Amino acid sequence: MGQGLWRVARNQQLQQEGYSEQGYLSRDQSRRMAANNISNTSHRKQVQGGIDIYHLLKARKSKEQEGFINLEMLPPELSFTILSYLNATDLCLASCVWQDLANDELLWQGLCKSTWGHCSIYNKNPPLGFSFRKLYMQLDEGSLTFNANPEEGVNYFMSKGILDDSPKEIAKFIFCTRTLNWKKLRIYLDERRDVLDDLVTLHNFRNQFLPNALREFFRHIHAPEERGEYLETLITKFSHRFCACNPDLMRELGLSPDAVYVLCYSLILLSIDLTSPHVKNKMSKREFIRNTRRAAQNISEDFVGHLYDNIYLIGHVAA
């Protein structure tokens, strides 16, 4: 009996020290004992002016347990700034957690206008039950429809009241939108020359060097893959628009829309010559100047030389 009482007392002592009856620490008991020991000796282990490693790890662990930041606990302007970096898909997912924040109209308005810069509905009084989140879904669906069938896509936008039935409004929409398939857009503009005319007038080529202006033009209105009537129409419209934007330069250089037309064709041919791997004997600067001035005699040699240098250094004008 004496031995039994001794064993009970001994077990209680061992348990207080962190040991079990079998003579080793359990996992939970070891963690508690280590935490107590570290806590008691933390001040002794601190280097004067240094950082307490234990408290640093404890703070890091507590942050990991907390997970991501609750945006509802932040100031509203900071929460909206964070959510404004999300795309539509991520914003929809965020609305599952922060419904009031992620469904805010300003966020969805920003997404709409950053992707579709101009819509007729932006300048109208919103109808009853209007929301920019719903508008975003309609714009996305309409763009997908346009990329499958341009005429049906435009009709969809009109049926939803997003676009007015006006060549100028359609041209503005195309000019400010980057989600439309350029091949389908080329087909649509070839069929709708009235929209093409208004689209050309939206470009501002003032004080731009001719090859750079031509590149910008073909970034919005893609050139056809083969020479033909549509390419001639594009270059003609560009030439007149470029001259209209730079009247002083045209008078100084003595250029007319017909001369700019010749230069544009020369730049396209030079671009193909210098960038095509199938052309082994590349056109020299001297040859380009001679051929171009033969077609347009009033153009100075220095100006034509600068055109060649631009294509040689920067690349294709219609790539």
Side-chain angles (χ1 to χ4, degrees):
M1 182 176 179
Q3 292 180 353
L5 292 174
W6 179 84
R7 290 186 63 186
V8 172
R10 180 58 177 166
N11 286 339
Q12 291 177 351
Q13 181 181 0
L14 292 174
Q15 289 175 2
Q16 291 175 356
E17 295 177 357
Y19 291 91
S20 65
E21 186 178 356
Q22 287 77 12
Y24 56 86
L25 287 170
S26 64
R27 183 174 299 176
D28 294 337
Q29 291 170 340
S30 300
R31 288 177 179 175
R32 288 197 297 269
M33 180 179 174
N36 291 333
N37 290 338
I38 293 174
S39 178
N40 293 333
T41 59
S42 61
H43 294 291
R44 296 194 301 269
K45 291 184 178 180
Q46 270 191 332
V47 180
Q48 188 174 6
I51 300 176
D52 185 357
I53 299 177
Y54 167 69
H55 288 299
L56 184 63
L57 294 175
K58 186 176 181 181
R60 181 179 179 182
K61 183 178 180 181
S62 63
K63 289 182 180 179
E64 291 175 353
Q65 291 174 348
E66 290 175 2
F68 50 79
I69 299 174
N70 186 358
L71 297 183
E72 293 178 347
M73 305 299 294
L74 299 176
E77 59 273 13
L78 181 57
S79 301
F80 288 135
T81 302
I82 294 172
L83 292 175
S84 66
Y85 289 97
L86 301 181
N87 57 29
T89 302
D90 293 335
L91 197 57
C92 287
L93 294 175
S95 66
C96 299
V97 181
W98 305 290
Q99 186 173 0
D100 294 336
L101 290 173
N103 287 330
D104 187 82
E105 281 291 276
L106 289 177
L107 292 174
W108 287 98
Q109 180 182 1
L111 281 176
C112 289
K113 292 189 176 181
S114 63
T115 308
W116 300 273
H118 176 83
C119 294
S120 303
I121 197 172
Y122 292 161
N123 303 319
K124 298 179 180 179
N125 293 326
L128 186 64
F130 172 84
S131 73
F132 277 99
R133 177 170 178 169
K134 180 180 178 181
L135 177 62
Y136 184 95
M137 305 305 173
Q138 292 175 342
L139 285 168
D140 188 55
E141 182 177 352
S143 297
L144 293 175
T145 304
F146 184 96
N147 293 338
N149 188 312
E151 192 65 33
E152 290 183 4
V154 173
N155 292 335
Y156 175 87
F157 289 129
M158 294 179 182
S159 66
K160 299 297 182 181
I162 297 174
L163 276 181
D164 292 340
D165 189 4
S166 163
K168 188 174 182 178
E169 286 296 302
I170 298 174
K172 287 182 179 180
F173 175 80
I174 293 173
F175 185 79
C176 299
T177 302
R178 298 293 177 267
T179 59
L180 304 179
N181 182 276
W182 64 271
K183 292 183 178 180
K184 296 295 183 179
L185 182 59
R186 186 174 63 194
I187 296 174
Y188 180 77
L189 293 176
D190 191 13
E191 297 174 352
R192 291 291 304 269
R193 297 298 175 92
D194 53 344
V195 177
L196 177 62
D197 290 338
D198 287 317
L199 185 58
V200 172
T201 59
L202 293 175
H203 290 80
N204 183 11
F205 302 122
R206 184 172 179 81
N207 295 329
Q208 291 192 32
F209 193 37
L210 180 61
N212 297 335
L214 195 58
R215 287 190 188 93
E216 180 183 334
F217 180 75
F218 282 133
R219 270 196 292 267
H220 286 93
I221 307 174
H222 289 268
E225 297 176 355
E226 297 179 357
R227 280 185 288 179
E229 186 268 337
Y230 181 58
L231 178 60
E232 294 177 359
T233 300
L234 291 180
I235 298 177
T236 301
K237 293 182 181 298
F238 169 82
S239 301
H240 284 84
R241 182 59 183 168
F242 184 82
C243 292
C245 292
N246 299 279
D248 296 336
L249 179 64
M250 296 301 101
R251 284 194 296 269
E252 180 182 348
L253 296 177
L255 296 178
S256 65
D258 292 338
V260 175
Y261 178 92
V262 172
L263 290 177
C264 290
Y265 248 116
S266 298
L267 290 173
I268 292 175
L269 295 176
L270 177 63
S271 299
I272 297 173
D273 185 275
L274 295 182
T275 60
S276 175
H278 303 292
V279 179
K280 295 182 179 180
N281 298 321
K282 305 295 183 182
M283 185 183 298
S284 67
K285 186 175 182 178
R286 184 179 299 275
E287 291 174 334
F288 177 74
I289 293 174
R290 183 180 65 250
N291 295 337
T292 304
R293 296 194 68 194
R294 187 179 301 167
Q297 299 178 359
N298 295 331
I299 304 174
S300 68
E301 182 175 339
D302 290 339
F303 181 75
V304 179
H306 292 322
L307 295 179
Y308 182 93
D309 293 338
N310 183 280
I311 303 300
Y312 184 83
L313 296 174
I314 299 179
H316 208 303
V317 292

